[in-house]
Amino acid sequence: MTPHSQEALQGLPPLANAIVDRAIDNVTRKLVAGYRNKNNSRPNAKSTDIGAVAKDTLDATSASSVMAVANRGAAWKEMLQKSLSHGISSISTMKFDGAFTVQNGQPQGLDAVPNSPGVYVVFNKNGEAVYVGDSVKLKQRWYAGHLNEHKQGQGSDKPYKLAEEFQEGCTVKFVQMESEATAAALEAHLIKTDKPKKNARQELETEQGKRSNIEAKKMKDASGGVRTLAAGAAKEAAANVGWNVFEQLASTLTKALKDELVEIVRGVSRSIKFRLKRLFDRVWSVVQAIIDAPLKILAGIFEFVVNAVSKTIAQFYSLARNIYDLGLSAWQLFQGAQTMNTEALVEKVTETIVLSGTLILWDALDPVLEANLATVVGPVAPYLSAAICAIGYGMSSFYLQKFVPAMVKMLLAMKSGAQEAAQEMRAACEKLIAIQERELRLLEELKDYAEESFRFEDETRKHIRALDQHEAIEPLDIQAMLATRKQRHG
């Protein structure tokens, strides 16, 4: 936004403006994530229904949806890891986590199977892989599903599809997965590549409706090796960058429209041309900021990768993004600290502490508040929790900015005083060292003088004894002794 536009803007008071802007950021983030994480209520439709898309988006607008978007990195990481550790490119190369058997319709070892997501392969008595399946709860799927259906089919004209294997004996091997999406992706990939004869059709072959299956289809289509999975993960990370930029632009445009509406309500008269230009300047400022600070665009990749690396961070849907912003601010602060004056440094440190700190706190509280409000207000919970967190952010930022600068100034003054004291101590130490060096040189000279004196006395005594004994003596060469002493001392 240009300086002229900033001066002309007559918006809300600072605290109210901060609260409304933060509410816009929160709601925009949830709406964008809702669109990205929506179910497809019309899979394989030949035309787009905007109303259906909007309904699907609103149904998915929640903190949990935003977490699900962020956690996609973890799903791609799991597929890459399983490709390396379990050889999931085909059944023949796969390393299984466990197995159980079925003989005469009775399972052996099924109780030890975990009730968690996974993929299983049924091998007949000849060791041939005849069926591949997946489940969110492995043990329950076999007890309540396969074995129960087999039992029901025994008394009818239509025996269960795996009845022959269950009666003659089969071995079921399984691989544990971390999510429904990765289990579905692996199942679909194995059916496509190995074509077990008891699987009637390919899974995830066309456009999907269920969210987990939509994501699973992307991973299934990229499966086949580490290289193709890595390429798929890179594509998703790049998409995350694009959506982050879109979110910034959408949020900025909404805030700009809010400011224009506030002016209109207040009766401030502006031309349409002026208002459109000011809107464009606000949106362009986001684009310009990305151009001027290219590291900012990496936030989307950082969020994707961090959520892939850490399950704990992935549970806080925007913590990774806030950590990146905090780290980037700290780095910029470090780079500029040597050239900033005290006031600018105080302002920058305060901004980093207050804004980034409160963002991390209230964004972490948002999903907790929303989950508790959902039982009371239902579908309004995402927007109400966004508003509450915005109010909390605005109030805490406002009051923190009142006393944090004073604390920062005090700390900087203490640091400055400590530096001056350290410099004075250093100078005093340097003087003491110089004095000690001079004293050592003086002691060396005194030592040499004493040695020469003792030598002179010894030579004199020898001459006196020689004179007493009337012996011929060599004359005492005083000049040579003085020259030797002079040579020793340079």
Side-chain angles (χ1 to χ4, degrees):
M1 186 161 56
T2 63
H4 173 70
S5 299
Q6 288 178 330
E7 293 173 2
L9 183 62
Q10 298 182 28
L12 295 170
L15 179 57
N17 196 61
I19 292 172
V20 173
D21 283 354
R22 188 57 194 164
I24 289 172
D25 287 338
N26 288 349
V27 172
T28 301
R29 180 175 297 180
K30 288 183 177 182
L31 286 171
V32 170
Y35 179 80
R36 293 182 65 187
N37 205 49
K38 68 183 185 302
N39 285 331
N40 183 4
S41 60
R42 302 175 71 243
N44 303 298
K46 296 181 179 180
S47 60
T48 301
D49 187 331
I50 297 177
V53 172
K55 184 179 183 303
D56 292 344
T57 299
L58 291 173
D59 289 342
T61 302
S62 65
S64 59
S65 286
V66 186
M67 274 193 279
V69 169
N71 288 347
R72 290 178 193 176
W76 284 95
K77 173 200 170 189
E78 184 192 357
M79 292 296 289
L80 282 164
Q81 282 185 330
K82 285 289 194 295
S83 184
L84 292 168
S85 64
H86 286 67
I88 60 174
S89 59
S90 68
I91 294 175
S92 61
T93 60
M94 186 178 297
K95 176 184 175 183
F96 294 94
D97 293 325
F100 64 95
T101 60
V102 180
Q103 182 78 39
N104 296 321
Q106 298 300 315
Q108 297 291 329
L110 181 54
D111 288 339
V113 175
N115 213 20
S116 59
V119 174
Y120 51 88
V121 181
V122 179
F123 294 86
N124 63 16
K125 63 180 181 179
N126 299 319
E128 180 187 3
V130 296
Y131 184 79
V132 175
D134 77 305
S135 177
V136 179
K137 296 181 178 180
L138 282 172
K139 186 190 296 186
Q140 182 177 321
R141 175 71 180 99
W142 274 86
Y143 272 125
H146 292 301
L147 296 173
N148 186 52
E149 289 179 44
H150 168 62
K151 186 177 180 180
Q152 292 175 353
Q154 286 181 315
S156 67
D157 296 333
K158 294 183 179 179
Y160 185 55
K161 59 186 175 184
L162 293 173
E164 182 180 348
E165 285 75 19
F166 286 178
Q167 289 301 124
E168 294 181 354
C170 64
T171 300
V172 183
K173 299 181 181 181
F174 63 88
V175 174
Q176 287 184 260
M177 305 298 285
E178 294 179 6
S179 70
E180 180 182 1
T182 53
L186 178 55
E187 179 210 28
H189 168 70
L190 293 177
I191 292 173
K192 178 183 177 182
T193 56
D194 289 83
K195 299 179 175 58
K197 62 182 182 181
K198 292 297 179 79
N199 289 98
R201 58 184 176 81
Q202 282 196 37
E203 300 288 340
L204 308 180
E205 189 172 10
T206 59
E207 185 180 354
Q208 297 297 302
K210 189 178 178 182
R211 181 74 254 165
S212 60
N213 284 346
I214 293 172
E215 294 305 312
K217 186 178 187 308
K218 295 178 186 178
M219 290 182 280
K220 171 246 183 179
D221 291 341
S223 294
V226 176
R227 183 182 62 82
T228 54
L229 278 169
K235 181 180 177 182
E236 284 298 301
N240 212 47
V241 170
W243 281 108
N244 276 355
V245 173
F246 173 77
E247 184 183 312
Q248 291 180 49
L249 291 172
S251 182
T252 300
L253 180 59
T254 305
K255 292 174 188 176
L257 289 170
K258 174 262 299 180
D259 290 334
E260 299 299 332
L261 287 173
V262 169
E263 278 200 343
I264 292 172
V265 171
R266 287 186 168 185
V268 179
S269 178
R270 306 285 187 197
S271 67
I272 294 177
K273 180 180 178 181
F274 179 83
R275 293 193 184 280
L276 289 175
K277 182 180 183 304
R278 192 159 62 180
L279 278 171
F280 175 80
D281 288 343
R282 290 278 292 271
V283 175
W284 177 249
S285 68
V286 176
V287 178
Q288 191 65 46
I290 293 172
I291 295 171
D292 294 341
L295 283 176
K296 191 72 177 174
I297 203 170
L298 298 179
I301 294 178
F302 178 86
E303 182 181 7
F304 185 87
V305 172
V306 168
N307 281 309
V309 171
S310 173
K311 294 180 185 177
T312 303
I313 291 180
Q315 297 309 308
F316 299 96
Y317 66 92
S318 60
L319 184 56
R321 181 182 303 185
N322 291 335
I323 288 174
Y324 182 87
D325 288 340
L326 181 59
L328 187 59
S329 298
W331 172 246
Q332 292 171 341
L333 180 61
F334 172 78
Q335 287 184 314
Q338 303 301 322
T339 58
M340 291 180 186
N341 58 38
T342 302
E343 291 301 320
L345 188 59
V346 168
E347 181 181 348
K348 200 67 180 171
V349 171
T350 301
E351 178 184 340
T352 301
I353 293 173
V354 173
L355 298 185
S356 298
T358 51
L359 271 178
I360 290 174
L361 172 64
W362 288 103
D363 279 351
L365 287 174
D366 189 10
V368 179
L369 286 171
E370 183 183 308
N372 285 277
L373 288 169
T375 58
V376 181
V377 296
V380 184
Y383 312 105
L384 185 56
S385 67
I388 292 172
C389 288
I391 293 171
Y393 165 78
M395 297 293 289
S396 57
S397 298
F398 177 76
Y399 288 108
L400 283 172
Q401 285 175 341
K402 284 189 173 184
F403 65 84
V404 168
M407 293 176 61
V408 173
K409 284 182 180 179
M410 182 180 69
L411 291 172
L412 290 176
M414 289 173 62
K415 179 183 176 183
S416 178
Q419 287 179 334
E420 291 174 1
Q423 289 174 354
E424 291 176 0
M425 290 176 65
R426 191 180 298 112
C429 288
E430 289 174 354
K431 289 179 181 178
L432 286 172
I433 291 170
I435 292 171
Q436 290 294 327
E437 288 176 346
R438 285 197 297 270
E439 289 180 350
L440 286 172
R441 285 197 295 270
L442 180 59
L443 286 173
E444 286 289 333
E445 291 176 359
L446 286 172
K447 176 186 175 185
D448 292 341
Y449 178 76
E451 288 176 351
E452 292 297 332
S453 298
F454 286 134
R455 191 177 295 109
F456 179 75
E457 182 182 359
D458 186 57
E459 293 292 332
T460 303
R461 288 179 185 278
K462 288 179 181 179
H463 279 75
I464 291 172
R465 284 197 299 270
L467 287 171
D468 289 342
Q469 297 173 5
H470 304 287
E471 295 178 358
I473 61 171
E474 293 181 2
L476 190 63
D477 192 348
I478 302 297
Q479 294 295 329
M481 292 176 67
L482 291 174
T484 302
R485 186 175 184 279
K486 184 176 182 182
Q487 184 177 6
R488 286 182 179 180
H489 293 281

